[in-house]
Structures are given as C-alpha cells and as structure tokens.
Amino acid sequence: MRCISPAESANDNERMTAMTMDTRIALPTDTEIELAADLLKRGGLVAFPTETVYGLGGNGLLGDAVEKIFQAKGRPMDNPLILHVGDWPLTETVCTPSPLAQKLMDAFWPGPLTVLCPKTGIVPWQVTAGLPKVALRMPNHPVALRLLRRAGVPVAAPSANASGRPSPTLAVHVLTDLAGKIPLILDGGPCQIGVESTVVDVEQDQVTILRPGLVTREMLEQVTGRPVEVAESTLRPLQPGETALSPGMKHRHYAPVAKVFLVPDEDPIPRLRRCYREATAAGQRAAVMCFTEDLPALADCNPYDLGGRHHAETMAQRLFAILRQVDEAGVDVVFSAVVPPEGAGLAVMNRLGRAAEFKQVK
Ligand code: TXA
Ligand code: MG
C-alpha cells in the first residue's frame, strides 16, 4: 500500500477499472467526506463505517458502480445489496413502503434494521439481483450519515469484506480484504454493534426476520403488536434444493479458514478442554472461544474471550474480529461455547453457526 494525497485520489474514478489501485485509509474529516461523496456520485467505490459493520458503498442508481462492488468483493451477482439512505425524501424515490414497513422504519431508523419494500423503476436490476423488492436501511453512524447526505444518492453497500470472509468491524479488516481493489476507506474506528443489520420482509401484516440482528424479534413485536416470524433457516444450513428467502443465506458466510465446531453444553469447560487436548495431540493448532468467566479454567487452551456469558451484545461486537484473529494466528481448529438463540443471542448464533457450518462436536 502507498499513501496518496487527496488530490491524487480525485483521479481514482478513472482508475477504478484497473485491476489494482492504491488504497488509501483516511480519517473522516470534512474534506475527506466531501471527497468520498464526490467519488460515490461519480461512480467510484468507498468503504465507510456504520454502527453494524463497515460497508463497501457505490452509487445505487448507477448499474456500473453497483457491478464494481460485486467485482471488488468477488460476490455472486445473484446476492442483492442493501441501499443506504441518509434522509427520508430519498427513501420515497427508491421504494413504496406499506404502512407497516413505514412504521418499522419510523421506529428503528436511523438504526440497524433493513426493510424489504417494493422497488421503484429507478433502482437498477443489479441492486436487487432482479428481485421486485429492494432492501433499505438508514444507518445510525455519524460518518455514514454525513457521507450519505453529502452524496445525496442512495448508496448500495454490502459488508466491506471479501465474499465469504467475516464482516469487517475495523478499517484494517477492510484493508486486509480489499487492498488494491478500492480507492478509499474512511476509518471511523471500531463498529459498535459488530454484526450486520436485522433484515425483515413485510407482507401485508406479517413481518418475517430473514437475518437476525440487534433489532430483535421482541423489539419488532413491541412495534407491530403481533408475532414476528423468524425464517427457520437462520439456525440451520439450507437443505439441498431449498430456495433461500434471502439470497445471502445460501452462500457460505462468516467463515474463517480455521474449522469451527460448536460445543452446546450448558457448562462448556470440560468439553472445550477435552476437544482442545485431543486436537493438539493430533498435531493440530487448536483454540477455544469461551465466556469471560471461563477464561481462568481454560487458560492453557489458547482461549479467545467472547464476552460475558450473559452479554450477547458483547459477543456480537467481538465475534467477527475474533474469527479473523484466529486465522491470523494460524489456528487450524477452534471450539466455541454457544449462547441461547434468544434476543441478541439469535444474531450471535446465526453468525457463529454459519461460521461453523452448524457443526457440533460429537
Ligand atoms: O449492517 C448491514 O446490513 C451491513 C451494513 C454495511 O449496512 N450490510 C450488509 O450487507 O450486511 P450484505 O450485502 O453483506 O447483506 C445483505 C443481506 C444479504 O443476506 C442479502 O441477500 C439480503 O440482505 N438482501 C438484500 N437485498 C435483498 C432483497 N431484495 N431480497 C432479499 N434479501 C435481500
Ligand atoms: Mg455481507
């Protein structure tokens, strides 16, 4: 990586088509945000922080810009993108929300909730992968909101990781995955939430969670006043031939290079120890992911601290970074404690389960 000046990066748009380019990490000063907004408007890509994870943004009204996002990430084109908006009037230009969808937006925006709504004609097919609904979110992060408002266009942004890798919660994670492929990363520090937004579909008066996040089922039910469904496939792999409700669910996700196994015991310490010992004896570099309370008992098992047993929000915040650390340490196999899939725990278990491809130790 070479550091280049803001003036040089004004030419980034022209260089976007090149195979590799210099990638600059910048603090989100007014000048840099202005530059980033300009880059977006002209069809370039910018990685930026949100309260959930870093996003890789492109102008959501330009099919070519959206295609560049898929290329940079190595993402299959059949997996649609979320449009991010910084203000309400823009929302109406890209979708026609039902009264219930509008109610959810009013209650949780700006925030970690993505709502599927029928799209308008100005949304290019590349954003929705040809589907009739578009996913929309107004993120609750000062840098993201400033950038979106300056750009004045809806910004298509998946998580800014290479496809299949854990989502980035630090600017350096984005750099690791996308250096040479994008011109600019705005560094807003660590993401507070750490897992991606809750994705919901709304059909008449039924709300269904397609991807759980920190806007939980219980929080949604308080607003809708009736039961909210959770797509059954959030806690298991897709069956052969099964159609994914949200196309992202059919792709391998959140996966570190290391093999991950879940240890579902109420007291996971004995089995974590045994699995660690057996793997080490078999010549594998092993690790365990455990609760803070269990660290002393597992001190000789190469432990990674997920957070307190009853703090699913902390686990959400740490999980993706830990999966990356495990890989950097060259770990072959990691055994992980689990949390009940309730409240924020559902989002944690959806991501952890998929990182493990839902494998449990025998
Ligand atoms: O927190 C987040 O949502 C982050 C930040 C950057 O906003 N974004 C994010 O985007 O996680 P991505 O692309 O990594 O995940 C979007 C998910 C995928 O599972 C995708 O299949 C689903 O939303 N999705 C997007 N548009 C859809 C649509 N029209 N119909 C069904 N599912 C959709
Ligand atoms: Mg993603």
Side-chain angles (χ1 to χ4, degrees):
M1 188 189 52
R2 183 176 70 92
C3 280
I4 55 174
S5 69
E8 268 184 280
S9 81
N11 295 324
D12 287 336
N13 207 23
E14 289 76 57
R15 293 191 279 124
M16 285 298 296
T17 46
M19 285 298 283
T20 64
M21 64 180 78
D22 293 309
T23 300
R24 204 164 59 83
I25 294 198
L27 290 174
T29 59
D30 285 348
T31 313
E32 293 292 356
I33 293 210
E34 194 67 44
L35 209 89
D38 191 47
L39 194 52
L40 284 175
K41 275 192 274 190
R42 291 186 292 125
L45 304 188
V46 176
F48 61 97
T50 81
E51 78 279 37
T52 57
V53 300
Y54 276 77
L56 176 58
N59 186 333
L61 298 180
L62 302 177
D64 285 355
V66 176
E67 282 183 28
K68 283 184 202 165
I69 298 176
F70 285 96
Q71 281 161 16
K73 277 180 62 89
R75 176 174 172 123
M77 288 282 292
D78 64 353
N79 190 2
L81 306 180
I82 298 172
L83 281 188
H84 294 67
V85 289
D87 53 55
W88 293 97
L90 202 54
T91 310
E92 287 158 29
T93 66
V94 290
C95 76
T96 50
S98 66
L100 182 54
Q102 187 65 52
K103 194 171 174 183
L104 293 177
M105 293 171 177
D106 290 343
F108 295 105
W109 283 8
L113 180 73
T114 296
V115 184
L116 297 191
C117 298
K119 74 179 199 77
T120 64
I122 65 166
V123 179
W125 67 268
Q126 290 94 334
V127 171
T128 62
L131 295 170
K133 285 187 180 170
V134 64
L136 276 177
R137 168 162 123 80
M138 189 186 291
N140 188 15
H141 190 288
V143 175
L145 286 173
R146 268 158 71 207
L147 177 66
L148 292 168
R149 287 171 188 163
R150 292 303 316 186
V153 291
V155 171
S159 48
N161 51 295
S163 194
R165 297 268 297 141
S167 291
T169 53
L170 289 173
V172 70
H173 296 160
V174 182
L175 188 69
T176 304
D177 282 13
L178 300 179
K181 297 187 170 150
I182 61 171
L184 183 60
I185 302 169
L186 291 177
D187 185 352
C191 299
Q192 276 205 334
I193 290 182
V195 292
E196 308 89 339
S197 61
T198 306
V199 178
V200 295
D201 192 12
V202 183
E203 274 295 327
Q204 274 117 38
D205 55 359
Q206 182 59 57
V207 175
T208 306
I209 296 177
L210 305 184
R211 180 178 71 183
L214 279 241
V215 171
T216 62
R217 174 191 213 155
E218 296 75 14
M219 289 160 72
L220 290 163
E221 284 175 347
Q222 279 205 338
V223 173
T224 62
R226 44 166 296 148
V228 164
E229 283 185 15
V230 179
E232 206 211 325
S233 50
T234 51
L235 290 177
R236 61 160 174 78
L238 278 189
Q239 307 302 308
E242 182 180 359
T243 317
L245 283 176
S246 179
M249 288 195 188
K250 76 183 178 197
H251 299 288
R252 188 163 182 261
H253 258 67
Y254 314 121
V257 177
K259 283 212 164 4
V260 184
F261 289 92
L262 307 176
V263 176
D265 309 11
E266 175 63 24
D267 172 12
I269 296 174
R271 203 126 57 135
L272 287 173
R273 289 193 72 84
R274 199 167 63 238
C275 290
Y276 175 82
R277 285 218 189 105
E278 283 173 11
T280 308
Q284 290 184 298
R285 192 176 289 211
V288 300
M289 287 171 18
C290 67
F291 304 126
T292 311
E293 299 87 323
D294 299 344
L295 277 175
L298 293 162
D300 56 351
C301 297
N302 192 16
Y304 287 78
D305 181 6
L306 280 171
R309 176 183 275 272
H310 302 293
H311 293 95
E313 285 86 359
T314 309
M315 295 181 211
Q317 200 180 38
R318 293 185 184 174
L319 179 63
F320 288 141
I322 291 178
L323 293 175
R324 283 176 180 264
Q325 283 165 21
V326 161
D327 275 348
E328 274 158 30
V331 168
D332 302 309
V333 59
V334 52
F335 304 98
S336 181
V338 305
V339 287
E342 289 144 21
L346 181 64
V348 171
M349 286 318 299
N350 170 257
R351 308 315 193 274
L352 184 55
R354 300 184 83 203
E357 297 175 278
F358 296 94
K359 296 183 303 289
Q360 299 191 351
V361 289
K362 298 219 173 64

